[in-house]
Amino acid sequence: MTAALAGKALLFLGCTALGVLRGQGLRQRAACLQAFRRVLAALARELAFSLRPLDQLMAGAQEGSQGPVADFFQACCQAFAAGGRESWADSWATALEATPLPLTPEDRRLLREAGDVLGRYDGESQRAALEALLARLEDQGAQAQAEAHRLFRVYLALGVAAGLFCLILL
């Protein structure tokens, strides 16, 4: 009797946990976009006021970030160092594909555009392109934040409903 009750409780909690995890994935996406926005804004400021090489700026971006975004910049720097004559755009695209980021394909496409600009033009052109990208990235981040806020409760309710449904079936 107690084993059956414990099993039902675990089944209900498991379904609820699936809903919570799905909702957390949406929050992680919003946080990742916000972190990319902060780092790219700092990079744009550095391009405007500094004459440091891009590899040093990327290393600084890696140190100024945390979590998956720091992993991305580390992979980007490693891909550039390992590639020898590989461009920053290629290193950026390689790191974007290799790093597990909680992003949608649309988010990745937007970030890929940032990599296409880096290292190809003069500092002012790169800064202007990054500023335009930052505005689009801010819109994408705000949309992700609103979606996470709205859908977290939906996924939680679906998890609870699935748990209750499974309990009724037993």
Side-chain angles (χ1 to χ4, degrees):
M1 175 89 172
T2 18
L5 188 59
K8 289 178 182 181
L10 287 175
L11 178 65
F12 177 74
L13 290 174
C15 290
T16 303
L18 284 176
V20 169
L21 288 175
R22 177 68 175 148
Q24 281 300 106
L26 293 173
R27 287 183 176 172
Q28 288 173 349
R29 174 183 172 237
C32 187
L33 285 172
Q34 186 66 17
F36 264 110
R37 191 190 154 300
R38 273 193 317 273
V39 170
L40 290 176
L43 190 62
R45 283 191 304 272
E46 284 286 330
L47 285 170
F49 300 114
S50 175
L51 296 176
R52 293 188 317 170
L54 194 55
D55 57 341
Q56 291 178 2
L57 293 176
M58 287 294 183
Q62 176 188 347
E63 293 169 6
S65 57
Q66 55 186 348
V69 176
D71 296 340
F72 166 78
F73 281 106
Q74 181 180 10
C76 189
C77 289
Q78 288 174 349
F80 185 73
R85 303 187 65 91
E86 185 176 343
S87 71
W88 272 109
D90 294 337
S91 300
W92 185 277
T94 301
L96 198 56
E97 295 301 320
T99 308
L101 297 167
L103 300 174
T104 64
E106 176 65 21
D107 299 336
R108 288 180 182 272
R109 185 193 59 75
L110 190 61
L111 288 173
R112 195 170 295 113
E113 289 179 18
D116 290 341
V117 181
L118 294 173
R120 291 196 178 180
Y121 307 107
D122 62 35
E124 184 59 32
S125 298
Q126 290 180 64
R127 188 199 59 75
L130 279 177
E131 290 292 332
L133 176 74
L134 283 172
R136 292 177 35 215
L137 196 58
E138 186 172 350
D139 292 342
Q140 192 83 357
Q143 177 188 11
Q145 188 73 26
E147 185 177 298
H149 181 70
R150 180 177 52 89
L151 290 180
F152 182 81
R153 287 184 240 137
V154 172
Y155 285 126
L156 179 62
L158 285 174
V160 169
L164 289 173
F165 181 73
C166 289
L167 289 178
I168 291 171
L169 286 179
L170 292 178

